[in-house]
Amino acid sequence: MASYWHILKSTKRFGTDRVHRIWHEERADAVVTVGYGNQPTGPGRDKLLKYRAGDRIIVYAPGFGAVAVAEATGATPEYRPSPAPDTHAHRLPVRWRATVHRLDDAVPAHAIRRAGGYVPRSLAMKLADDVRIGSRSW
């Protein structure tokens, strides 16, 4: 089992309201998503194919912090194209293990760093297996 950071959309690019809506949609649908041009094949799909059944995925919302821990189910990523330019077409079903309802309740970057952790720099960044997020060990 591996652990990965998975980055939710950037508030700088999409705005806070849109990122809040995306988080609520992903949380309700039990999926993590990615775009990368929203082409049927390519980097978006490849990022999600990294995750294997049982892998731990920690969802990070830039500007907020860690918002969830999920387990990859082993399902194949789904491709759902949309006419909306800010919609991620690639979706991967997950099992939520812990989530925050509101992005404002995320474990912030400073708490992650204080606990000896680090925040992600890329979408599917691999973590050490014993990662701690803030004061929580997820």
Side-chain angles (χ1 to χ4, degrees):
M1 174 179 84
S3 296
Y4 294 91
W5 280 116
H6 183 89
I7 300 177
L8 198 61
K9 285 187 179 257
S10 167
T11 54
K12 289 180 184 173
R13 183 168 176 211
F14 296 98
T16 301
D17 289 342
R18 180 67 182 132
V19 173
H20 276 279
R21 280 195 310 275
I22 290 165
W23 170 236
H24 287 289
E25 291 165 10
E26 289 189 14
R27 191 170 159 266
D29 293 347
V31 296
V32 293
T33 66
V34 62
Y36 280 88
N38 287 332
Q39 299 304 311
T41 60
R45 181 176 169 78
D46 292 348
K47 294 286 185 185
L48 294 180
L49 287 171
K50 274 186 167 184
Y51 305 140
R52 302 282 182 232
D55 282 353
R56 182 171 42 172
I57 302 166
I58 302 170
V59 181
Y60 184 83
F64 295 96
V67 296
V69 175
E71 180 182 324
T73 63
T76 302
E78 303 168 354
Y79 178 67
R80 291 189 188 173
S82 169
D86 62 347
T87 300
H88 285 168
H90 297 280
R91 302 162 49 94
L92 182 72
V94 296
R95 265 190 241 44
W96 296 122
R97 296 300 182 202
T99 66
V100 297
H101 183 70
R102 299 171 345 113
L103 292 176
D104 295 331
D105 296 330
V107 178
H110 67 83
I112 295 167
R113 288 187 192 100
R114 191 172 45 238
Y118 54 91
V119 295
R121 295 179 307 277
S122 64
L123 176 67
M125 188 171 146
K126 194 165 187 212
L127 290 160
D129 289 335
D130 62 347
V131 67
R132 291 184 63 80
I133 305 298
S135 60
R136 305 178 214 177
S137 179
W138 291 355

